[in-house]
Amino acid sequence: MKRTVVKVIVVLVAVIFLFSAGFWTGFSIDFLKNLIFNKEGAIAQGGEEQQGIVENLSGSIIDRFSLKPLEEALDFIFNDYINQVSREELLAAAIKGMLSELDDRHAEYFNVEQYRQIVDSYSGTMSGVGIIVTEDEEDRIVVVMPVPDTPAFNAGIKEGDIIVEVDGNDIRNIALENVVSMIKGPEGTEVMLGLYRPSEEKQFEVTIVRTRFYVPNLFSEVLDENTGYIQYIAFQD
C-alpha cells in the first residue's frame, strides 16, 4: 500500500505543478528533492528509531512526518465503515483534503479520466455540448458563447448564462477544469445543466445529448471600415 500511496503522490505533484499558478505553501522543495533524488543521503542519516516514518521510492527513510495515521484511517474506514467505499475513493478524498488546506484555488486534483478529458480538449475536437465557458471574478462558471450548430446552441443556451448545476450537482466552489470535465462525456450520452440567466433573472434546466464537434479557437469580424476584431480563444494541438 505504501508503494501505491507514493506513486499517487508523485503523480499528484506532477499534475499540480502543471496546473497550479500558486505556491505549495508549507511543502519544502528540499524535501521533494530528498524524496526523489537523495536516496543514499537519506539512508545514511536514517536509523532503527526512524522505522515507520515515510519512505521514498527506493525505500530510504525521511524523518519529516509519518504516514501511519493516514494508513490506519484508510484501513479502519475501508474495513469497518457500514457502507462500502473503495480505497481509491478514500485516497482521492484524502488528496483533496490536503489541497483544500493550501487555500489555493488553482491547486486541483484530477483523476485519470478528468485529466484525459482536459488533454483531449487540446486536440481541436471534443465530445460534449458545445459551449465555451470561463470563470468570472465571483468564481462563477459563465458561458462565453455557444458554439454554432452544437447541442448547446440548438438548446438555446446564450452568452452570459451562468452554470449552477451539472446533473443535479451544485458546482459552486468547483474548479473550472473539473466543471468542464463533468459537462463533457461520451458521444450520445445525456447531461443536465442548471443555468441562471441574469438578463431575464430566471433559472432553468436543459437536458442535452452530447456529440463530437470541432472546437473553433479563432473568431473575427469587421466592426467598421477601419476596424477589424479578432478573438483568439485557446491553444490547440
Side-chain angles (χ1 to χ4, degrees), residues 72-196:
E72 290 178 344
L74 287 170
D75 287 337
F76 182 79
I77 297 172
F78 181 76
N79 294 322
D80 297 315
Y81 184 54
I82 190 171
N83 296 322
Q84 186 175 8
V85 59
S86 70
R87 291 183 182 271
E88 290 75 17
E89 291 174 318
L90 293 174
L91 187 58
I95 294 171
K96 291 176 182 178
M98 287 187 284
L99 294 182
S100 68
E101 287 297 309
L102 302 182
D103 194 25
D104 182 351
R105 60 194 294 267
H106 298 289
E108 288 292 331
Y109 168 71
F110 304 96
N111 62 31
V112 173
E113 176 60 22
Q114 291 168 334
Y115 182 70
R116 185 197 64 76
Q117 291 181 3
I118 291 171
V119 173
D120 184 52
S121 68
Y122 301 146
S123 67
T125 65
M126 69 173 62
S127 176
V129 301
I131 51 175
I132 298 172
V133 296
T134 188
E135 197 170 35
D136 68 8
E137 64 278 1
E138 298 179 28
D139 298 335
R140 301 178 301 181
I141 308 301
V142 182
V143 176
V144 175
M145 67 169 291
V147 179
D149 300 322
T150 62
F153 182 88
N154 297 330
I157 294 179
K158 298 180 179 180
E159 175 184 347
D161 287 348
I162 299 170
I163 301 175
V164 295
E165 291 183 349
V166 177
D167 285 332
N169 299 307
D170 189 336
I171 54 87
R172 287 176 295 183
N173 301 319
I174 297 180
L176 174 64
E177 293 86 355
N178 283 345
V179 174
V180 170
S181 70
M182 293 167 67
I183 296 174
K184 294 166 59 181
E187 185 176 0
T189 60
E190 290 186 346
V191 60
M192 189 278 288
L193 300 181
L195 301 113
Y196 174 71

Side-chain angles (χ1 to χ4, degrees), residues 217-232:
N217 66 337
L218 185 69
F219 302 91
S220 63
E221 62 178 307
V222 177
L223 301 180
D224 56 43
E225 291 183 359
N226 300 313
T227 306
Y229 174 78
I230 299 174
Q231 180 183 16
Y232 188 74

